[in-house]
Amino acid sequence: MLYAILSTFVLAALAPWVHQQAGRHSGWVLALLPAGLFLYFARFLPAINAGEVVVLVTPWMPGLDIQLSFLVDGLSLLFALLISGIGFFIVSYAGRYLEKSRDLGRFYVLILSFMGSMLGLVLADNLVAMFVFWELTSVTSYLLIGYNHEDLKARKAALQGLIVTVAGGLALLAGIVMLAIAGGSYELSEILNSGDAVREHALYLPLLILILLGAFTKSAQVPFHFWLPNAMAAPTPVSAYLHSATMVKAGVYLLARLNPSLGGTEVWFTVLALFGAATMFTGVFLAFRSTGIKSVLAYSTVMALGTLTMLIGIGTETALLAAMAFLLAHSLYKGALFLVAGILDHEAGAKDFLQTGGLRAALPVTSAFAILAALSLGGIVPLFGFVAKELMLESVLGAPGWVPLLALLAIASAILGVAVAAIVGIRPWFGKRVEMPKQPHEAPPALIAGPAVLASLGLIFGLGPGLAEGGILAAAARAVNGGEPVDAYLSLWHGLNWPLAISTVALVLGLLLYRHWDRARAALAWMETAAKYGPERAYDWMMDGVVRVSEWQTRLLQSGYLRYYIMFIILTTAAMVGMTARIHGVSVGPLHLDDLRFYELTIVSVMVASALFAVLSRSRLAAVAALGSFGFTVALMFVMFSAADVGITQILVETLTVILLVLVLFRLPGFLGLSSRWIKLRDASVALAAGGMITLLLISTHNARGFDSIAWYFIEESVPSGYGRNIVNVILVDFRALDTLGEIFVLALAAVGVYAMIRFRAEDKKS
Amino acid sequence: MAFVVGGLYAAAIYMMLRRSIVKLVIGLVLLSNAANLLIFTASGLTRGAPPLINAGDVLPPGISADPLAQALILTAIVIGFGVLAFAVVLIHRAFEVVGVDDMDKMKDTDT
C-alpha cells in the first residue's frame, strides 16, 4: 500500500523524462500507473465486500507514536477506485489536450503528485499522516490551478483556493489534535470505535467546529463556496479531476469518515443538514444563472457537495447509502461533462453556452455521451443519477427534523437541476447551428475515451443499480455507518411514491424553466450587483487588510535603525522574562551582603565607577582608559574568586583591547552629542529595565539549584582520563577540545576579515 | 554581585542605543564583560579554591570552584576579543567609506 502511494510520487518525479521519451503518446504511457493502481485497489474488493477492514501499518516516527498506517474499508476503497480510475482518463486526456503546451512535463509532475496525495488522504489511518496528505492536496492543487502562471486571473484564483483551504486546514489540525485527545488515539480505526467517548467528551463541540471548518472550506460549502468556481481557471483536465473525484470531495470524505465517531448528535445534524441544503440550493441557483460552460459545471459541483454534506448530516441509513450513490453518480457524470467541456473548447473553441448550438452533427460521438451524462446530472430515468436522486429525496423526507425546509430546498434544487442539465445536454447540441471560433470537428479517441466510459457507467449502473450497490456502495455505506450494514437498497423503480412524484414535477418545471432561460437570466440580472457583496468580497477585504497590517508592522519593526531593533529585542525579552517571573513566582532568598569582604567591595566599586565613567565621559580617550580599568578590575574579580586562568586571559585580552581601541578610535571622529535629554532618558529606562531583569534572574538562579553541576564529572575524570591537574585546562584542550577548535576557527575568521578589510583599503588608496 | 552585573548590562545596553558608532563599540566591550561576569556569578562564587589538583592526588582538596564555567568564560573572552577586533575594523572601514558616524545616517544601503 505504501509502495502504491509512493509510486505516484516517484513517477511524478520521472514524468518529465517519460514525457521526453514518449513524446506525443506520453499521456497513455503515464496513464498506465493509475490503471495499474485501479486494478491493485480492485483486488481488495472481495475482502471488503465480505465485511473485512484491512489495516496496514508501517512505522514512520516511532518516537512520536506516528505511523504510516493505511485503512482500507468500503469508504476509502470507493474513493481510491474513483481517484485512480478517473485519474487514468484524466492523464491520458491531458496528454492530448495539452499537447501543444510547453509545460506538459510539469503538468504531469503536478497531476501525479496530486493523485498520490489524494490517495494518501483517503487511505491514511493515522490522523497526522492524513493531515499531511490533506495539506499536500492543497499545495498541489494550488500549483495545478495556477498552471497558466502567466495569467493573472489563474494566479489569483490559485492563491484564493490555497488560502481558503489552508486556513481550513489549520482549523482541521487543531481539531485533529483534540479528536486524538478525546478519542485516545491517532489511529482512525481506533477512534471510530470510541464514538461514544468522543461524543461525550468536553472537547466535542470545539473539535467538531474546527473539523467542520476544515471540511467545509475544502468542500466549498456556503459561505466558502466562492473559491471553487474561480478554480476553473485551471486547465480543463484539472477541473474535471478536482471536481469529480478529488480535492473538493476530500471534505466530504472527512465528514463521511468521521461520521461514526462524531455523527448522530443534534449539532452534527443541524449544522450539516442546514449548511448542506443551503449550499445545494445556492450552487444550483448560481449554476442556472451562469452561462460559461465551466462555470455552470463548477456551480453544479457546489450543489452536489451541498447535497452530500446534507445527506451525511441527515445520517439515516437510507441517507448514507444515498450519499454514497450520489457521490459515485456525481463523480461519473461530472468527470464526463468537464471532459466534454474541454472537447468543446479544444475542438470548437467554445467557452460559453451562448456561443454554442447545433453541434450534434459535427461532434456526433461526443454529443451522445454528453447528453447521457447530462441526463444523469438531471436525475432522469434510467440513469444512475436518477437512482441516487430518488434515494436522496426519500432520505430528505425521512430526515429527523427540519423536514419542510429541507424538502423545499431539495425540490427547488431538483427543478433547477433539471434546468441546468437541459442547459448542458440540449443547448450546445440541438437547435440552430451557430458560427464557432474554430471549425468544429470530432475529437480524437484520447479525448473521447473518458467521457464515453464514465457516461456509459452512469447508464449501466442506472439500469442495474444492484451492480454498483453490491460492487462497493453497500460496503462504503457500511463503513460510514460505523461497520453496521445499512438497511436500504438501490433500485430504479421504487414504486409510486413521493420521490417519484417530485421527480416528475421537477422534470416538467425544469424543462419549462429551460425554455425561458434567457428571460429568467435577464430577470436575475440584478443579482450581479448583489453578488459583489457576497463572501468573496469579505475574502478580498480580508486580504487587503492583511496587506495593510503587514505594511504597518514592517514600518514599525523594520525601521532600519539599529538601535530600535536592539530596543525591541531587549524590551521583548525583558517583558517575557518578567511575565514568566510573575506567573511562576521568583524566590529571592536572603542576600548574603554581610558576607562581603572590604577589599571585594572596593574592587566592585572601582569596577562600577569605571564603567559609569566610560558611559558618561565626553572624551574618547577617557572612555577607553575607563574601559581598561574596568577590564582589569574584572580580571581581579576572576582571580579573587578562584579563577586564576581566566584572570590571566582577561588581563592579556584587556591590554590588547585597549591598544586596539586607542589605535583605531583616533582615526574615528569624537563623540557626537546627538540625542536630546528626553531620548537619553528613554534609552536609560530601557537599559535599566533590562539590567533589572538580569539582576532578578541572577538572584533567582542563585537560590534555585535543581540538580548537581555537571562539572563534577570533569573534576573526577580530570586526572584519570585527562592526565592533567589544572581542571580548566583539561576541559579546554581535552574534554571540550572540539569547542576550542571552533574558537580557534572563529578567531582565524575574524583575523582574515580584519586583514581583508585593511588590505582592501590599501588597494583603494592606490587606485 | 547580581546588582553589579545588572548595572553593567544596563550601561552596555544604554551605550548600544546611542547613535554614535564609537559609543556602540564601548557598549560592545561592556556587554561582553558583563556576560562573562553573569556566567561567572551564576556558577557560584568561591573564594580561594581554584580547581587545581595537587601532585599525586586524584581530586582537588575540598571544595573547588566550578571549572566548567571558567572554561566557558575563557573561551568567551577570547571570542569576544575576536568579535570586537572585527567590529572595530568594520566600523572604521564603514566610517571611511560612508563618511558619517551617525547610525541614523547609515541606514541606507546605497550610500
Side-chain angles (χ1 to χ4, degrees):
Chain A
M1 179 61 66
L2 181 60
Y3 297 113
I5 290 168
L6 278 183
S7 67
T8 59
F9 291 105
V10 172
L11 189 68
L14 295 176
W17 177 78
V18 174
H19 173 50
Q20 267 183 355
Q21 297 296 314
R24 221 173 150 251
H25 301 289
S26 53
W28 289 112
V29 177
L30 289 167
L32 285 179
L33 177 77
L37 285 175
F38 183 81
L39 295 179
Y40 170 73
F41 291 127
R43 278 211 350 251
F44 284 95
L45 273 175
I48 298 301
N49 279 325
E52 279 181 45
V53 175
V54 184
V55 179
L56 303 154
V57 179
T58 319
W60 181 21
M61 297 181 219
L64 285 175
D65 219 11
I66 296 171
Q67 43 201 352
L68 271 179
S69 44
F70 297 101
L71 173 70
V72 187
D73 63 2
L75 182 63
S76 51
L77 195 60
L78 171 64
F79 271 92
L81 287 172
L82 282 174
I83 293 163
S84 53
I86 296 183
F88 167 75
F89 294 113
I90 299 293
V91 174
S92 55
Y93 182 95
R96 187 61 18 99
Y97 184 78
L98 293 171
E99 203 173 5
K100 299 202 176 70
S101 164
R102 60 199 158 82
D103 295 329
L104 185 54
R106 180 162 63 91
F107 178 83
Y108 285 135
V109 174
L110 294 175
I111 196 103
L112 286 171
S113 349
F114 179 68
M115 187 193 305
S117 320
M118 208 53 216
L119 283 174
L121 166 60
V122 297
L123 289 166
D125 185 33
N126 189 287
L127 282 174
V128 177
M130 190 193 80
F131 178 74
V132 170
F133 285 120
W134 176 284
E135 293 294 55
L136 270 178
T137 60
S138 292
V139 173
T140 43
S141 68
Y142 164 72
L143 294 170
L144 281 170
I145 297 170
Y147 175 70
N148 294 321
H149 54 85
E150 284 161 11
D151 178 9
L152 177 70
K153 239 179 93 198
R155 288 203 306 270
K156 192 164 171 266
L159 188 65
Q160 193 180 50
L162 183 75
I163 287 178
V164 172
T165 53
V166 168
L170 209 58
L172 177 69
L173 178 63
I176 279 178
V177 173
M178 287 192 196
L179 178 63
I181 294 171
S185 167
Y186 272 101
E187 300 301 308
L188 272 172
S189 44
E190 286 171 36
I191 292 173
L192 295 184
N193 289 328
S194 52
D196 285 333
V198 174
R199 276 188 289 270
E200 279 155 22
H201 202 276
L203 286 175
Y204 175 71
L205 197 61
L207 81 83
L208 181 70
I209 292 170
L210 289 170
I211 289 179
L212 288 185
L213 264 178
F216 281 10
T217 48
K218 196 85 162 177
S219 279
Q221 300 291 306
V222 169
F224 305 112
H225 61 279
F226 57 89
W227 74 264
L228 185 57
N230 291 339
M232 71 200 171
T236 308
V238 175
S239 304
Y241 204 32
L242 290 187
H243 284 252
S244 61
T246 59
M247 188 67 182
V248 295
K249 293 283 171 64
V252 173
Y253 166 78
L254 186 74
L255 295 177
R257 172 51 78 212
L258 294 177
N259 182 45
S261 65
L262 295 180
T265 59
E266 189 76 18
V267 198
W268 173 269
F269 164 69
T270 316
V271 174
L272 259 64
L274 292 186
F275 273 91
T279 309
M280 172 174 73
F281 182 70
T282 314
V284 74
F285 182 73
L286 292 175
F288 180 68
R289 213 173 54 90
S290 311
T291 59
I293 298 178
K294 284 173 88 177
S295 68
V296 169
L297 293 176
Y299 278 121
S300 80
T301 305
V302 174
M303 173 200 79
L305 295 168
T307 312
L308 288 169
T309 308
M310 179 183 73
L311 286 174
I312 295 171
I314 290 174
T316 56
E317 296 187 353
T318 319
L320 294 182
L321 185 63
M324 291 304 109
F326 201 88
L327 179 84
L328 178 61
H330 174 253
S331 297
L332 294 176
Y333 70 68
K334 191 49 63 68
L337 286 176
F338 259 110
L339 295 180
V340 168
I343 294 177
L344 277 177
D345 187 5
H346 198 256
E347 307 300 336
K351 288 184 190 307
D352 196 296
F353 279 119
L354 298 182
Q355 303 173 331
T356 58
L359 285 169
R360 195 160 56 103
L363 301 148
V365 188
T366 312
S367 67
F369 290 118
I371 292 164
L372 209 55
L375 284 175
S376 195
L377 164 68
I380 294 159
V381 198
L383 283 118
F384 195 53
F386 171 76
V387 179
K389 197 171 76 172
E390 291 288 281
L391 211 56
M392 184 269 278
L393 289 170
E394 198 183 319
S395 7
V396 167
L397 294 177
W402 298 98
V403 177
L405 178 64
L406 294 183
L408 188 69
L409 286 173
I411 294 168
S413 304
I415 297 170
L416 284 168
V418 171
V420 168
I423 297 170
V424 177
I426 300 178
R427 176 87 196 194
W429 316 110
F430 298 95
K432 207 161 79 233
R433 179 73 179 268
V434 180
E435 267 319 299
M436 305 298 301
K438 283 189 198 170
Q439 182 58 38
H441 54 82
E442 191 54 272
L447 296 189
I448 290 188
V453 174
L454 296 177
S456 313
L457 277 178
L459 182 61
I460 294 169
F461 288 151
L463 291 173
L467 211 63
E469 190 187 356
I472 178 79
L473 292 181
R478 187 174 57 211
V480 182
N481 199 28
E484 302 293 321
V486 291
D487 179 27
Y489 62 96
L490 293 174
S491 79
L492 197 57
W493 177 247
H494 268 262
L496 285 170
N497 54 9
W498 278 109
L500 188 69
I502 294 172
S503 289
T504 322
V505 173
L507 183 63
V508 175
L509 287 179
L511 286 176
L512 261 175
L513 263 182
Y514 170 67
R515 276 190 69 82
H516 301 287
W517 189 38
D518 294 320
R519 242 188 299 156
R521 263 189 299 112
L524 293 171
W526 60 272
M527 294 282 298
E528 294 292 339
T529 33
K532 287 198 186 118
Y533 296 94
E536 191 163 3
R537 168 86 170 218
Y539 166 84
D540 288 338
W541 184 81
M542 192 194 75
M543 293 306 287
D544 289 346
V546 167
V547 171
R548 267 201 297 277
V549 168
S550 55
E551 261 173 13
W552 169 78
Q553 181 194 326
T554 311
R555 267 204 310 279
L556 184 72
L557 296 179
Q558 306 290 323
S559 54
Y561 295 99
L562 177 66
R563 62 174 188 281
Y564 288 125
Y565 293 144
I566 297 177
M567 204 186 297
F568 271 117
I569 293 167
I570 287 168
L571 279 181
T572 313
T573 318
M576 271 162 34
V577 170
M579 282 278 280
T580 318
R582 227 189 124 77
I583 292 166
H584 295 286
V586 178
S587 63
V588 180
L591 298 169
H592 305 288
L593 288 177
D594 49 338
D595 202 24
L596 278 175
R597 311 268 164 87
F598 168 68
Y599 55 89
E600 287 166 9
L601 213 59
T602 317
I603 291 174
V604 166
S605 317
V606 173
M607 189 196 292
V608 173
S610 48
L612 275 180
F613 188 74
V615 171
L616 297 177
S617 162
R618 292 192 166 275
S619 143
R620 285 166 300 163
L621 190 59
V624 171
L627 265 188
S629 86
F630 165 71
F632 287 119
T633 47
V634 171
L636 267 178
M637 279 294 294
F638 286 140
V639 173
M640 264 187 329
F641 289 102
S642 331
D645 303 288
V646 183
I648 295 165
T649 319
Q650 173 77 11
I651 289 171
L652 282 174
V653 165
E654 209 50 52
T655 317
L656 280 174
T657 307
V658 171
I659 294 170
L660 181 78
L661 286 181
V662 170
L663 277 179
V664 176
L665 286 192
F666 277 96
R667 294 165 171 266
L668 292 173
F671 288 162
L672 303 164
L674 285 172
S675 312
S676 68
R677 179 184 271 288
W678 187 84
I679 291 177
K680 279 182 179 167
L681 216 62
R682 178 197 64 188
D683 293 348
S685 52
V686 170
L688 283 176
M693 173 198 79
I694 296 283
T695 308
L696 195 70
L697 263 182
L698 207 47
I699 293 176
S700 64
T701 49
H702 189 70
N703 294 313
R705 283 248 152 172
F707 39 86
D708 284 341
S709 166
I710 54 168
W712 276 111
Y713 168 80
F714 296 112
I715 293 173
E716 282 163 9
E717 292 294 316
S718 177
V719 171
S721 324
Y723 301 106
R725 305 194 180 281
N726 184 336
I727 305 173
V728 177
N729 285 5
V730 172
I731 292 176
L732 280 178
V733 299
D734 196 320
F735 293 123
R736 311 290 312 163
L738 213 58
D739 290 356
T740 311
L741 188 70
E743 177 193 347
I744 293 168
F745 188 66
V746 168
L747 278 186
L749 264 183
V752 169
V754 169
Y755 176 74
M757 277 191 282
I758 293 172
R759 182 65 190 272
F760 281 139
R761 186 181 55 195
E763 278 174 8
D764 275 357
K765 274 183 186 157
K766 261 186 251 162
S767 65
Chain B
M1 200 60 209
F3 292 100
V4 175
V5 175
L8 291 180
Y9 262 93
I13 289 165
Y14 177 74
M15 285 310 264
M16 290 174 79
L17 290 176
R18 307 264 52 82
R19 275 165 73 177
S20 166
I21 46 175
V22 183
K23 290 193 174 178
L24 180 72
V25 173
I26 293 176
L28 213 58
V29 177
L30 285 173
L31 188 69
S32 74
N33 274 314
N36 293 341
L37 279 176
L38 172 69
I39 301 173
F40 192 61
T41 315
S43 76
L45 299 175
T46 322
R47 291 197 187 86
L52 300 171
I53 301 167
N54 292 328
D57 288 353
V58 177
L59 288 177
I63 295 174
S64 77
D66 192 333
L68 188 62
Q70 296 190 13
L72 289 179
I73 295 167
L74 242 167
T75 313
I77 290 173
V78 179
I79 290 190
F81 175 70
V83 170
L84 179 74
F86 188 78
V88 165
V89 177
L90 183 68
I91 285 169
H92 180 217
R93 179 89 181 119
F95 172 67
E96 272 190 343
V97 173
V98 184
V100 290
D101 69 335
D102 180 358
M103 295 298 291
D104 284 11
K105 292 183 186 144
M106 276 196 184
K107 74 193 196 81
D108 296 323
T109 46
D110 49 353
T111 43

